[in-house]
Amino acid sequence: MAVCPACGTEVASDLAECPTCHLSTSLFEAVHEAAGRSADADPAYVRTIAELMRSIDLESPAEPVVPPLLRPSAGTRGLGTLELPKSEPALRAEPLRPLTEVPALPPTVHGEPLRRRADDYLRIARRRGLDLTSVAARVSAAEQSDDERSLEAAVRETFVHVASALAVEFETEMVRRNEIAQLVPTPSADVELNAIRVALTAGDLGGAERRLAHVRDELGRLEDIWATGRILIASCELLAETIGELGGDPTPALGPMREGRRLLAEGRRDTAERLLARSALALWAVAEPRFFEELKRLRDRLLELRGTGVDLAPALADLRAVSVELRRRNFVGTIVAYRGLRTFVGPAEPGEAVAPSAAEAGPERPAPPT
C-alpha cells in the first residue's frame, strides 16, 4: 500500500485518490519529490531552472541558438481557457448584516443626569479621536449659565457625532468578522456585535463602546491564532489560480486544501497547517511541467528583446529570484517572482506553445539537462 504524502493515510493501490484528503494518487511521487524526499540529488525542477539560467548569457552575441532541450515540444498547446474551480470556504458562515437602524437618543433627562450624559459623550468622543472642540465649549458655557435648553441641544449634537463614529467602527469590525468567519467560528464576536447593534439602536453609546473593545480584542486574537492557516490557504489559492492561467486543471491537487480548510474551521490548527503545507506541494506538482514550458517561452522572448536593446535588468532579477525561491522550495515565492517576469515580457501570443499537451495523463516531470 502507498502512503499519502499529504496526510499520511495508507492508500490501496487500486484507488484513484486518498480516501482522507482526496489527493490524486497520480501525484504521490511528484509531491514526495517536491517535498525533497531525496536528500542526495536535486529535484528535477532545480536542474531545469539551472539549465534555463545557463541559457541566458548576457555576454554572448545577440540571437543565440536555443539548445534543443529547451525548445517547446511539437505536442504542446497555447494558454488554455479552463475556468479555475472555485474553492468553497470551509464554513458557510452567514455574513452579519450592516447596521440599518438609526441610533435613537435615550429618554430625556434634566439637571445633573443631563450634565453627566454630556460629560460621558465628550469622553467617548475624545477616546474616539473626534474633534468636538466647539461643541464642548457650548456644553461648558451652558453648564456655567445653567442654560439647560442649550445644554440639551449640545448633547444631542454630541450624540450624533459619537453615534456615527461608533457605527463606522461597528461596520469595520463586522467586515473583519465576516472574513474571519469563513475560516473559523466566531461565536464570542458574534454575540458582542449583536449586542453592539442593540446598544446603538437604543442610544447606549457607552455600552456600544465597551463591547467594541471586546470585539476588537477577540477578532485580533483569532487573527493571530489563525494567521498561518490563512497564509497557507492564500498560497494554495495562488498556486491553483496560476495552474488555471497556464491552461491546467488543479482539481487533482485541491483535495488537501479543502480538507485543511475544514480542519482549520474545526480548530485542529496543527493538523490543518501541515495538510495545507502539503497541499501547496501537491499544487506545485501539477503546476511544474506547465510552469517550465512557460519559463522557456519567457526566456526565448527575453533573448529576442535583448537584440532590440531593451534593458533586461528587471526581468533578469525576477528570473534569478525564481531560481533562488525554487532552490529554497518556496513555490509561492517562485510564482510571485514569475508573475513579475511575465508582466515584463507579456502574455503568450495566440497559438504560442506554453503548456503540455491536453492529453497528458498526469504531471509530466521536466527532463534533466543533458
Side-chain angles (χ1 to χ4, degrees), residues 181-354:
Q182 300 310 309
L183 293 174
V184 294
T186 57
S188 297
D190 291 355
V191 170
E192 294 289 359
L193 285 166
N194 286 326
I196 293 168
R197 184 191 306 277
V198 173
L200 285 175
T201 302
D204 180 8
L205 303 187
E209 184 192 35
R210 288 190 297 273
R211 290 182 179 277
L212 271 170
H214 295 160
V215 168
R216 278 193 299 271
D217 291 345
E218 174 64 10
L219 293 180
R221 183 184 69 84
L222 289 175
E223 285 180 332
D224 290 341
I225 290 176
W226 303 107
T228 300
R230 295 175 69 189
I231 291 171
L232 287 169
I233 289 173
S235 299
C236 290
E237 289 178 340
L238 176 63
L239 285 163
E241 179 182 349
T242 302
I243 292 169
E245 291 171 350
L246 294 175
D249 181 4
T251 302
L254 288 179
M257 181 177 73
R258 290 167 176 158
E259 180 66 10
R261 293 186 73 140
R262 186 185 68 79
L263 294 174
L264 196 65
E266 292 179 354
R268 299 164 63 182
R269 184 172 56 141
D270 291 342
T271 303
E273 289 175 1
R274 286 194 296 270
L275 191 55
L276 288 168
R278 290 287 170 162
S279 176
L281 295 178
L283 286 161
W284 168 254
V286 175
E288 181 186 333
R290 293 175 179 273
F291 176 74
F292 277 107
E293 290 297 329
E294 168 71 349
L295 277 188
K296 294 169 191 177
R297 179 190 74 82
L298 296 178
R299 187 282 318 276
D300 292 345
R301 181 61 180 147
L302 286 177
L303 294 175
E304 293 175 7
L305 290 173
R306 189 186 61 170
T308 66
V310 174
D311 180 12
L312 299 182
L316 292 177
D318 286 329
L319 184 57
R320 293 188 186 100
V322 168
S323 177
V324 170
E325 298 301 340
L326 269 179
R327 290 182 179 278
R328 293 173 176 169
R329 292 189 173 90
N330 179 4
F331 303 123
V332 174
T334 298
I335 295 299
V336 170
Y338 149 71
R339 288 185 171 223
L341 177 61
R342 184 183 64 184
T343 299
F344 182 93
V345 173
E349 297 294 332
E352 189 174 0
V354 298

